[in-house]
Amino acid sequence: MFINGAYIKLLFAGHDSYRHIDSQQAALLPYLKTFVSHYRVILLLIILMAIILVNFYYQTDYSNYSKLKLINGWLIIDAIVALLPFIVITPFGPRCIFGSYTLIIALLVINLTARLPHYYKILTPLSLLALLFLGFYFNQISLNYYQTNKLSQDYCQYQQTLQRKDFYVINYSNIDYLWSSNMSDDPMFLHFFVGDSNHKIIAINYEDWQAYAPHYKVGDFQKFEQQIIRQHK
């Protein structure tokens, strides 16, 4: 990210129409704190670190091992450096980690190919099967997140027209695959779609509003809201 002209300009201007410095509202560290709060992510990080350490110190007999160690070191350093600007630059989201993700994938592939002389016979079919499965699995998860986020945005915009203090924000089913908090606790979502900090935010759990979803017609929130208010008075 250091070579991106938009981020270089921030060093001199401090902000532009989209990015800014010295705000922790949505920068890297708060997102990482949310992300690593899940035990599965912590376990994954431990396994990844163990693989990296074993790879550095495991004694092997192939001739280019010293070169491989150097490549590994540079890939890890580059993956970390690519994220460093986002300690102070906001906003930060999943797209900002794509470069680091690509470098880590390269690290894993390079080491597998070095240790498996006929890797393509094994990895190609396994990779295709894994990608097909993961693509379908995460497509369903992403669709649910998108539909929930869009409905919550539209519902918040509808409530803006009512000019009241209580603000009902519908939540995701879970945030296991998100970097952010649920929408009723997400400062960025509340800033853009609720706005007034004087509003009292009332969170509507996924299971609750899903019971009303069959009665919802696109753009017509009246009956949908009546059911929410009735249960949460």
Side-chain angles (χ1 to χ4, degrees), residues 95-118:
R95 288 178 297 174
C96 300
I97 203 172
F98 182 76
S100 298
Y101 171 79
T102 304
L103 290 167
I104 295 299
I105 292 297
L107 182 148
L108 294 175
V109 171
I110 288 171
N111 283 275
L112 282 173
T113 55
R115 287 187 165 84
L116 298 174
H118 302 292

Side-chain angles (χ1 to χ4, degrees), residues 135-181:
F136 176 79
Y137 178 70
F138 283 106
N139 181 69
Q140 296 302 111
I141 293 173
S142 299
L143 179 62
N144 180 264
Y145 281 136
Y146 165 75
Q147 292 172 334
T148 302
N149 186 276
K150 184 67 170 64
L151 180 60
S152 193
Q153 289 181 28
D154 292 343
Y155 184 36
C156 286
Q157 291 172 349
Y158 167 77
Q159 292 177 87
Q160 294 279 11
T161 66
L162 303 179
Q163 297 181 348
R164 65 182 182 208
K165 290 296 183 183
D166 291 348
F167 226 89
Y168 298 91
V169 179
I170 66 174
N171 278 331
Y172 299 114
S173 57
N174 58 65
I175 57 170
D176 292 345
Y177 299 95
L178 295 177
W179 286 65
S180 61
S181 306

Side-chain angles (χ1 to χ4, degrees), residues 1 59 79-80 86 98 145 172:
M1 289 301 176
Q59 295 300 317
I80 294 172
F86 296 103
F98 182 76
Y145 281 136
Y172 299 114

Side-chain angles (χ1 to χ4, degrees), residues 29-214:
L29 297 180
Y31 272 103
L32 288 180
K33 183 179 179 182
T34 300
F35 189 61
V36 300
S37 63
H38 303 292
Y39 73 92
R40 284 174 292 185
V41 176
I42 296 174
L43 180 61
L44 179 62
L45 292 174
I46 292 174
I47 293 173
L48 181 60
M49 289 303 300
I51 292 173
I52 290 173
L53 290 174
V54 169
N55 186 66
F56 266 107
Y57 295 104
Y58 180 75
Q59 295 300 317
T60 184
D61 58 358
Y62 58 85
S63 59
N64 291 322
Y65 183 59
S66 59
K67 293 181 180 179
L68 187 66
K69 288 177 70 174
L70 180 62
I71 293 172
N72 287 343
W74 276 115
L75 286 172
I76 294 171
I77 292 171
D78 288 345
I80 294 172
V81 169
L83 286 176
L84 289 180
F86 296 103
I87 294 178
V88 294
I89 295 176
T90 64
F92 175 80
R95 288 178 297 174
C96 300
I97 203 172
F98 182 76
S100 298
Y101 171 79
T102 304
L103 290 167
I104 295 299
I105 292 297
L107 182 148
L108 294 175
V109 171
I110 288 171
N111 283 275
L112 282 173
T113 55
R115 287 187 165 84
L116 298 174
H118 302 292
Y119 67 92
Y120 55 90
K121 295 181 180 179
I122 301 172
L123 293 183
T124 300
L126 289 179
S127 298
L128 289 174
L129 287 174
L131 288 172
L132 286 172
F133 172 77
L134 290 174
F136 176 79
Y137 178 70
F138 283 106
N139 181 69
Q140 296 302 111
I141 293 173
S142 299
L143 179 62
N144 180 264
Y145 281 136
Y146 165 75
Q147 292 172 334
T148 302
N149 186 276
K150 184 67 170 64
L151 180 60
S152 193
Q153 289 181 28
D154 292 343
Y155 184 36
C156 286
Q157 291 172 349
Y158 167 77
Q159 292 177 87
Q160 294 279 11
T161 66
L162 303 179
Q163 297 181 348
R164 65 182 182 208
K165 290 296 183 183
D166 291 348
F167 226 89
Y168 298 91
V169 179
I170 66 174
N171 278 331
Y172 299 114
S173 57
N174 58 65
I175 57 170
D176 292 345
Y177 299 95
L178 295 177
W179 286 65
S180 61
S181 306
N182 226 318
M183 282 181 282
S184 60
D185 297 316
D186 186 348
M188 293 299 289
F189 182 88
L190 298 178
H191 171 75
F192 284 109
F193 299 105
V194 176
D196 189 350
S197 59
N198 294 322
H199 285 304
K200 177 184 177 183
I201 304 300
I202 301 175
I204 310 298
N205 292 328
Y206 182 84
E207 295 76 14
D208 293 337
W209 71 261
Q210 270 287 296
Y212 317 140

